[in-house]
Amino acid sequence: MKQNSLIVLRPVCFFIFLILVVLSLASVLITLWFNKVAPIENEVKLIAHNINQDLISQIHNAAAFFSPNNASAVNFAQILNFCLDHNDPHLTNIESKVVPALFQAFSTIPYLSQISYIGLNGLFFAYCKEGDGPFALYSNSTFPARKDAEEKKYAWYLQPANHNTGKLYGVPTKFPAPALAKSSWLRGALNSTNGYASVGSGWRDSQDVLLLSTVRLDGNGLISLGFRVKPLVDFLVAQMTFYDGSLYLFTKDWNVTIKGFPSSRVSVILDGDQVLFQLSNHDDGQLQTVGNVSCNDERILSIGGNKYVFNCSPAKIAGLEFVFVLAVALDKYSSLVHKNIRLCFALIVVMVGAVVITICIFVSLIVEAARREMSLCGTLIKQMESTQQSERKSMNKSLAFASASHDIRASLAGISGLVEVCRTQLTKRDPCSSQVLENLLQMESCTRDLLGILNCILDTSKIEAGKMQLEEQVFDVEQLLEDVVDLYHPVGMKKGVDVILDPCDGSISRCCWARGDRSKLKQILSNLLSNAVKFTTEGHVSVGAWARKPYLENEMLGSSQTNCCLFKIHRANNESNSDPNCMDFTFEVNDTGKGIPREKRKSVFENYIQVRETAVGQQGTGLGLGIVQSLVRLMGGEIGIVDKEVGERGTCFRFNVLMTASPSTVDFWEPKPPKSRVVLLLKSGQRSNVLLAFMQRLGIKVHAVKQHQQLGPSLKKIKQKMMILSNHSCNSSSSSRSVPLSSLDGVDQSGMVLMVVDTCVGHLSDIKREIGDFRKDVRCYTRVVWLDSPNFDQDELTPPDLVISKPFHGSRLYETVGLLPEFGGVATRREEISTAVGGAEEEEGKPLAGKKILVVDDDPVGRKIATFVACRLGAVAICCENGAVASQLVCERLKGGESGRFDCILMDCEMPVMNGSEATARIREAEGSYSVRTAIVALSAGDEMERNRMMEAGVDAYITKPLNTNNLLKALSPLTTTSKMPESPI
């Protein structure tokens, strides 16, 4: 509990530490922030002052830009003075000299809105801009001589003008003439010698404010140039950046607001040399003076709650005296900086707060996760303890099963032996008691089944306990395959299922001698083949194998017929490349049974699992494939199920193992030039296809006949082909024409016809007749190999024909092919090639007559069975209960001389007082003083570790219980051929 509290406090302490770090960092950042902000504010104030001065300078520079406008008027007046007489000009002179000059100036001077000629005698002409096109305004007469003369009235006219030439067009419109004599700017211009600048309005629009530059001509009149104020002001504003400031322009009788205050309640008035700022009241609208600013002065005023810096200064624009006022908000830039500073500070505070909140949430989540983790850890610890306890129980159970294997196997061996003893004795006493014999046979079969189930359970226990080890020995892989297939062939034939050994590509024959665990490989093949025969009701079961070099990454793929990828095996470099003779042996068991559904293929390799769809009506423990997979993996391989073609029935198991192989020097599988022909007439179509492919790979011409009715037509076709070849041979060589058929038995057998006929395929009489007809008509050596059946009479055979027993594969197949000339051409004797179907029968004699055998076994049943078997073979049996008594008895017999010595000792492995290995070692040590060696045969229930200990102790042979006459004779075969026992282990 205390440890759990410490685990919870760890994230809390970490949280407090993070908070302190964040606050310290925030305080340091804020301090540095304010230290950096103060110099920035001072710098901003200085920059603001410089900006104000810069704005004033820009205003003066922009005003100076319009100074050439007044000079343009003076220069134009000088040009007209040369064109006109000093006397009063006439209307014709105005039209011919003044008007063209006016239009030229009107079209070339920038920003010019109107240009006028005003004669002192009343003549007037002007160009003005109205919209996109110019128009002309003129008078067609001078002032009247008498003011009271009504018949001659003075008037102005308005008429459009061409914008390219200035010529008038259209109908003139009468225009009211203004009172020019009363204009102040006209009088000012007449009194000025260098021109007069003023603010006025346009001739047509009184609201159009113009800057007028008026110059007097020499005694003839005036020239006036008018520039609109709005474009000039727009140009002035475009040249400057006000930074949210306000600008006002004033003259004595006119003012203009270029950029005013945001509030519309502010009004600006020029009062002498001062500018007054007034603010209207919200209630009654009365104006209240806020303050005034003198020219060439700078002052701070508060308007609308905001402070502004006012700068007032005179300026001359186009020759006209102006006063401008520039107002910029006080601390405009510094306040902006302050605002941004406050915003940034707020963002920093928010960020720090967010970090703190995030840390709080993070730590709370960590605390909660730690609590959950502690809970899960507690649960996991309990589960681990229960799992370890279960594993210990399972291991103890497996060890107990493994330890009890000897006693259980010994008991079953005793039962099996007693059944055999009873059956033998009953056969001798009462051969006709068939019911008792049948019961004994059933008891023996049940005992074997029980022993098989027990072996599966004990093997599983050994694998789980890790006691399963490999025992390598050199063995013939091809012979092992043939033995396993021959073992299950009779079982399959009883069900109508053909068990076939497929030689495949012949690679097994080239490297058949391999070093590996023969017994476990046989167990794997036997289990797979047993299941295949058990679950196949019709069709066939084929067993194939091939060998190849292993690769670093070996991919076992399905054949081209299955189009599937089975599995991948990854091996290390040292495993595949350390031994150059290491070979990858692949085995395949293919049946035509019900098959295993794809979704249940992985589960079939689990212990105690059976597929219901396949195992209906079949009994079993479900341990076989689990043991097979464990053994295959123990031998460095993998096992899986290969996909079949759509519509193809059955299951195909494929596995591989790694073994060291010795390459064979036999060139049996090398293709030979085709000389002979082989005719296959077999009952099984699949076996016929396998043999057909096998012989074609050897270069043999093969004719497969599916039914016995087709044998005659097939032989006729072969006969025709051979006659054509024979005629061609006769034409090329005349020496072969005089050779009789009877003498072909000892001459060159090229062109031989070999027939392999299954005696169960059809009517033997019809088949023999077709073969006899064929032999009469052909000039070649013909030989028939009959596959034996119980109804076949071997006495009726033609001398060169042979009879061999089924199944027709393996060594029988190779010996049959060896009859062909291209593969040796020497036929073996019938007794050498034929083999017994059911195994060797028991010999009637006494092969161990006169021999003395010592039986050493602590089990009374085991001693009784061993004594019975030895006596049945003619030997004299003496029994001992343990190894100590046996070793003492052997030593006494050695001292007594050769007459009392034992010829053989049957030694049990596990016994009290002294076990078999220790007793064997003492006996070998005692025999060393007498230079003799007694044959010692170990008896065991099948434990591999016991076998290793006994072989190391010095036994000569090893027999797995139950003991019977066959395995004892096989172990003691040297006793039946010579009086001396072998000097080395069997």
Side-chain angles (χ1 to χ4, degrees), residues 861-872:
V861 177
R863 292 198 303 271
K864 182 177 180 179
I865 294 173
T867 302
F868 174 79
V869 172
C871 295
R872 184 180 177 187

Side-chain angles (χ1 to χ4, degrees), residues 886-908:
S887 62
Q888 183 179 0
L889 182 60
V890 170
C891 291
E892 292 176 357
R893 291 295 182 96
L894 289 175
K895 294 179 182 178
E898 184 176 357
S899 60
R901 297 173 186 169
F902 292 104
D903 297 296
C904 176
I905 301 174
L906 301 180
M907 182 75 69
D908 189 24

Side-chain angles (χ1 to χ4, degrees), residues 52-261:
N52 289 337
Q53 297 301 319
D54 184 60
L55 284 174
I56 294 172
S57 177
Q58 289 183 23
I59 292 172
H60 285 287
N61 293 335
F65 180 78
F66 298 101
S67 296
N69 291 346
N70 194 31
S72 298
V74 175
N75 294 332
F76 184 64
Q78 293 176 359
I79 294 172
L80 288 180
N81 284 329
F82 287 105
C83 297
L84 299 175
D85 297 334
H86 293 286
N87 299 325
D88 292 337
H90 298 285
L91 183 58
T92 55
N93 292 333
I94 296 300
E95 292 178 355
S96 62
K97 296 181 179 180
V98 176
V99 172
L102 290 177
F103 182 77
Q104 184 176 5
F106 179 76
S107 60
T108 56
I109 296 176
Y111 297 101
L112 186 61
S113 179
Q114 71 179 26
I115 185 170
S116 307
Y117 168 77
I118 305 171
L120 298 179
N121 57 358
L123 292 176
F124 174 81
F125 192 92
Y127 280 109
C128 301
K129 285 185 178 180
E130 183 178 4
D132 296 334
F135 65 91
L137 189 63
Y138 60 91
S139 64
N140 58 357
S141 63
T142 59
F143 291 124
R146 297 192 308 268
K147 295 183 180 179
D148 55 352
E150 297 181 0
E151 67 278 1
K152 188 178 183 181
K153 293 182 179 181
Y154 181 74
W156 283 11
Y157 297 91
L158 181 65
Q159 190 175 357
N162 189 289
H163 66 279
N164 292 324
T165 61
K167 292 183 178 182
L168 305 181
Y169 64 91
V171 178
T173 303
K174 193 172 183 180
F175 186 82
L180 294 178
K182 297 179 180 180
S183 300
S184 60
W185 59 272
L186 186 60
R187 293 193 299 269
L190 292 174
N191 297 327
S192 176
T193 57
N194 294 324
Y196 182 76
S198 62
V199 177
S201 60
W203 297 118
R204 291 197 62 191
D205 189 1
S206 60
Q207 300 298 326
D208 191 7
V209 182
L210 302 177
L211 288 180
L212 301 176
S213 295
T214 307
V215 182
R216 178 181 177 183
L217 298 175
D218 294 340
N220 294 322
L222 300 173
I223 288 298
S224 176
L225 277 66
F227 299 91
R228 294 181 62 187
V229 173
K230 188 177 184 310
L232 298 179
V233 171
D234 292 341
F235 177 79
L236 183 65
V237 172
Q239 297 299 315
M240 295 183 295
T241 303
F242 290 95
Y243 301 99
D244 294 335
S246 301
L247 178 63
Y248 297 89
L249 290 177
F250 299 94
T251 60
K252 292 180 179 181
D253 54 358
W254 177 83
N255 67 80
V256 61
T257 300
I258 296 178
K259 188 173 179 62
F261 287 100

